[in-house]
Amino acid sequence: MEDEEATAVLKAVGRQIRAWREAAGMRRSELGAAIGYGEEMVSSVERGRRIPKPEFLDNADEALGAGGKISAMKRDVEEARYPKNVRDLAKLEAAAVELGAYASLHIHGLLQTPEYAEALFAMRRPSYTEDEIERHVAARMARKSVFERVPRPLVTFVQEESTLRRPVGGKMVLRKQLEHLLEVGQLRHVQLQVMPTNQEDHAGMMGPFRVLKLQDGTALGHSAGQLYERLITDPREVQVLEMRYGMIRAQALTPRSSLAFIEKVLGER
């Protein structure tokens, strides 16, 4: 595991499963046979070395007669599956009243379909395992709850035109992704804009970033590079990002024109 918080959660879950197993008088091999997993998997889960899937917990709950107490840990385990940087970012997004993002390389994570996100993670080098891809996709999809929470935050995006045309995952995946953009763009608390490739004056040439305003009035920035992600808290640096983002939005197509542009690109697929 990559962080102490997740490790602590998984070890606590493992101890609970072991306690219920021993109380039931079952060996690890017997529990594994009863729930469809090998003894080694049961051992790894009990030691907090492997992340159990929801069906593992549900089956163990039933086999051990835990009355829902093991199944109840699914939410904690699911959150522990997500990378720490994703959990930290999700907490900030959950506390934000305004979120703005400029995306220049691909469709922004909060706007991605599962198929598009899976294709992106499959491109990573060094390569992710299938479990790692599943883990990252699940974490990214969980963050999309920002669109559903109440009170609604104001969420704005500026997407480079090139991100609408790059066939990540193939033509059908891209088509579904463009359709999803049109759906999200209709939400009253979301504004989606497109930066045309032929726009000569462009304040976003330094790369993608996002800005967030929290309920207490605090403003933050966030940027990601090849090998790092950085949360920006210095008020002077955040002010620079807010200025740039305002200029980028002014230089991009309006939200209405942007949706029409996306429809046009979709019609070309």
Side-chain angles (χ1 to χ4, degrees), residues 8 13 28 33 41 93 100 106 141 150 163 185 221 230-231 240 248 251:
V13 170
R28 287 170 177 157
M41 179 62 179
E93 291 170 344
H106 50 69
M141 293 304 105
V150 178
T163 66
R230 180 188 175 207
L231 181 64
V240 170
I248 290 170
Q251 294 162 347

Side-chain angles (χ1 to χ4, degrees), residues 1 3-16 45-46 48 50-52 73-81 87:
M1 294 303 300
D3 63 88
E4 294 180 358
E5 182 181 353
T7 299
V9 169
L10 295 180
K11 285 186 176 180
V13 170
R15 285 194 297 269
Q16 287 295 314
V45 169
E46 288 187 351
R50 294 286 298 274
I51 304 174
M73 297 185 287
K74 286 189 292 186
R75 180 175 180 179
D76 294 328
V77 171
E78 186 66 17
E79 292 180 355
R81 294 184 70 221
R87 297 201 311 273

Side-chain angles (χ1 to χ4, degrees), residues 70-216:
I70 295 177
S71 292
M73 297 185 287
K74 286 189 292 186
R75 180 175 180 179
D76 294 328
V77 171
E78 186 66 17
E79 292 180 355
R81 294 184 70 221
Y82 306 154
K84 184 178 186 302
N85 64 321
V86 175
R87 297 201 311 273
D88 292 342
L89 185 57
K91 290 177 182 178
L92 289 176
E93 291 170 344
V97 294
E98 291 185 33
L99 298 93
Y102 165 60
S104 60
L105 300 176
H106 50 69
I107 302 298
H108 189 273
L110 288 174
L111 295 171
Q112 292 172 11
T113 64
E115 295 82 3
Y116 186 97
E118 182 177 354
L120 270 183
F121 286 121
M123 294 180 190
R124 293 295 180 93
R125 298 295 182 271
S127 299
Y128 284 149
T129 65
E130 292 302 317
D131 285 346
E132 288 173 326
I133 292 175
E134 179 184 352
R135 179 186 180 203
H136 281 277
V137 172
R140 182 157 292 180
M141 293 304 105
R143 286 174 48 218
K144 292 166 74 71
S145 61
V146 69
F147 293 114
E148 303 168 357
R149 67 177 173 85
V150 178
R152 305 289 195 207
L154 172 63
V155 190
T156 64
F157 301 93
V158 180
Q159 287 285 158
E160 282 292 334
E161 175 186 343
S162 60
T163 66
L164 308 177
R165 300 184 181 279
R166 184 170 294 113
V168 173
K171 292 183 178 180
M172 293 308 298
V173 170
L174 178 59
R175 181 175 182 83
K176 186 174 181 180
Q177 176 63 69
L178 294 176
E179 292 172 345
H180 180 64
L181 292 181
L182 293 174
E183 293 175 3
V184 175
Q186 297 295 334
L187 298 175
R188 286 181 294 176
H189 62 296
V190 176
Q191 292 188 335
L192 180 59
Q193 295 177 256
V194 175
M195 177 67 78
T197 301
N198 63 5
Q199 173 63 38
E200 181 177 353
D201 192 13
H202 192 336
M205 298 304 289
M206 296 299 292
F209 63 93
R210 73 186 70 187
V211 290
L212 305 93
K213 290 186 178 179
L214 308 185
Q215 294 173 350
D216 63 3

